[in-house]
Amino acid sequence: GVFFALLRRVKEKYPSVVLLASVWGLPGWMKDNDSLISGIFDPQYTEVYARYLRMAVQAWEEQGLELYAITTQNEPKSSNNRGTPATRFTWRMQKGVLLALRKEFDAYKIKT
């Protein structure tokens, strides 16, 4: 779409620009409250979420854009009933996601 076309144009004009993707919120079914708004990550979805992130990176690559880095969550402690799509993660939850994500990236030879 237009968004990816614009980013490809930026990269052509400024090749040193790096792209970082940062997740703000997760689907409701991956959270304890089954809602897009607020909620705490449900660790039973650790591997699913890691796969989701890996596939997102691959989707960017299919659009001709390499992500330099991603975050697993932008504000891991900010969802306390703020009425936003943010998702709360403890450090242990994030560690689990990062370890699962490393396996996904290694298995698919992703350099992000």
Side-chain angles (χ1 to χ4, degrees):
V2 174
F3 175 70
F4 290 116
L6 176 63
L7 288 177
R8 281 191 297 273
R9 197 163 165 208
V10 168
K11 287 292 288 179
E12 287 171 13
K13 188 163 177 89
Y14 304 101
S16 63
V17 168
V18 295
L19 300 173
L20 174 133
S22 187
V23 176
W24 192 27
L26 278 65
W29 58 269
M30 286 189 189
K31 301 193 267 184
D32 68 331
N33 65 352
D34 199 30
S35 172
L36 290 174
I37 305 303
S38 297
I40 300 170
F41 176 66
D42 185 338
Q44 74 173 317
Y45 297 111
T46 297
E47 285 77 22
V48 172
Y49 185 45
R51 187 168 50 249
Y52 170 84
L53 291 171
R54 184 254 306 156
M55 292 172 74
V57 170
Q58 290 174 314
W60 279 74
E61 289 173 354
E62 289 171 7
Q63 293 296 318
L65 295 162
E66 183 180 342
L67 292 172
Y68 173 77
I70 64 169
T71 69
T72 58
Q73 175 63 18
N74 183 34
E75 297 175 313
K77 292 189 174 195
S78 69
S79 73
N80 294 337
N81 299 318
R82 286 184 21 201
T84 69
T87 304
R88 187 168 171 83
F89 279 79
T90 66
W91 71 267
R92 285 184 177 90
M93 291 172 185
Q94 286 211 322
K95 179 182 175 186
V97 170
L98 290 169
L99 292 172
L101 187 57
R102 175 80 275 151
K103 287 180 186 176
E104 287 285 326
F105 278 22
D106 287 349
Y108 289 85
K109 297 178 178 31
I110 294 174
K111 298 176 187 170
T112 297

